[in-house]
Amino acid sequence: MAKREKDTTEAPAEVKKSKTGIYAIGAVAVAALAVGLYFFSAEAPADPKAPKTDLEMAALMETGPLEDVVLGDPKADTVIVEYASMTCPHCAQFYTKVFPQLKEKYIDTGKARFIFREFPLDGLAVAASMLARCAGNDRFYPMLDGLFETQESWAVPGADGKEKLKLIAKQAGFSEESFEQCLADKELFDKIVAVRKKAHEDYGVDATPSFFVNGKRLPGVGLEVFESAIEGKPETPADG
């Protein structure tokens, strides 16, 4: 898993490198989105020795800064919640390698519903998350698919990241105008940052990807970990 960026004392507008190796963009589209690392400096420091506890479902599912977009049967008893950053390589690996199996086995069969929540690690991740939200609820998960599948092509250092992200967005149906309008939406930006802040301060999320199954905090990202949480199966086969 990719660990969260340490809190900073200032958020310069110039390009700054994050712990993940991706560069935070000082201005995503316009001056109103001079993101820097403001959301890191606004967070309370995480206690690395604090126990990682499970959560009550009522707390995990309470209304947040942004509407949850549910994939699968909204009435399914099992609820899988993921916190991820669009520029996190481990998140992309999960989404391209493990998620298709998880979706086929539990989500498509109506056994579980899946909720993706934003936990951006840098400015470019915020921009990508904004685009997924601007695509609309019906295209939210297809947009996530496309962004994670092409992550290596656009999650690059410096201002070039925004231009490469624009190319992906245009392939998904954005125009030059709608791309810029989306990234200039200060209210949406603030809500995405607030989702991250709530996850960090209220739920103890400090790494991406992080998963909860019915409030149970998962210790890993393999399919067997989900099977164990959902069905009570052992994570490793017993010796014969």
Side-chain angles (χ1 to χ4, degrees):
M1 290 187 180
K3 289 293 182 181
R4 69 177 290 276
E5 184 77 9
K6 292 183 179 179
D7 296 302
T8 58
T9 57
E10 60 181 358
E14 65 268 20
V15 172
K16 185 171 183 179
K17 192 174 182 181
S18 75
K19 190 173 180 179
T20 60
I22 306 300
Y23 284 73
I25 296 180
V28 180
V30 294
L33 281 181
V35 297
L37 295 176
Y38 284 119
F39 43 96
F40 295 134
S41 60
E43 288 178 347
D47 180 0
K49 297 181 180 179
K52 297 298 182 183
T53 59
D54 297 336
L55 302 174
E56 294 291 337
M57 276 297 290
L60 182 63
M61 300 305 294
E62 67 183 11
T63 302
L66 275 173
E67 172 191 3
D68 283 333
V69 182
V70 178
L71 183 65
D73 184 351
K75 297 182 180 179
D77 291 335
T78 297
V79 183
I80 304 169
V81 176
E82 177 186 15
Y83 284 95
S85 172
M86 300 307 300
T87 53
C88 162
H90 299 290
C91 301
Q93 185 176 29
F94 165 79
Y95 223 82
T96 56
K97 303 296 183 183
V98 180
F99 185 72
Q101 303 173 62
L102 181 70
K103 183 174 181 292
E104 180 180 10
K105 187 167 186 177
Y106 295 110
I107 300 170
D108 291 345
T109 57
K111 296 178 181 178
R113 46 185 153 142
F114 178 83
I115 296 171
F116 179 97
R117 291 178 181 169
E118 296 85 350
F119 196 87
L121 295 177
D122 50 58
L124 189 57
V126 180
S129 292
M130 292 174 73
L131 290 171
R133 287 286 180 173
C134 288
N137 287 2
D138 59 335
R139 296 173 58 201
F140 178 73
Y141 284 103
M143 190 71 182
L144 293 184
D145 287 340
L147 288 168
F148 276 128
E149 288 171 359
T150 60
Q151 187 192 79
E152 290 186 355
S153 70
W154 60 265
V156 297
D160 196 37
K162 179 193 169 186
E163 294 305 313
K164 291 183 178 297
L165 185 59
K166 184 189 297 184
L167 293 177
I168 301 299
K170 286 184 174 181
Q171 293 174 11
F174 282 81
S175 65
E176 179 88 19
E177 182 180 8
S178 62
F179 175 83
E180 297 293 345
Q181 286 180 343
C182 177
L183 297 192
D185 188 339
K186 185 63 165 56
E187 181 179 0
L188 176 58
F189 164 75
D190 287 341
K191 288 181 178 180
I192 288 175
V193 173
V195 170
R196 176 199 161 97
K197 187 173 186 288
K198 182 178 180 65
H200 175 68
E201 295 183 355
D202 295 354
Y203 307 147
V205 175
D206 61 1
T208 57
S210 287
F211 296 92
F212 296 89
V213 173
N214 288 344
K216 177 180 174 60
R217 192 186 303 265
L218 299 194
V221 300
L223 181 63
E224 69 280 0
V225 177
F226 288 92
E227 291 173 337
S228 177
I230 295 172
E231 302 179 34
K233 290 183 177 181
E235 294 179 18
T236 55
D239 293 334

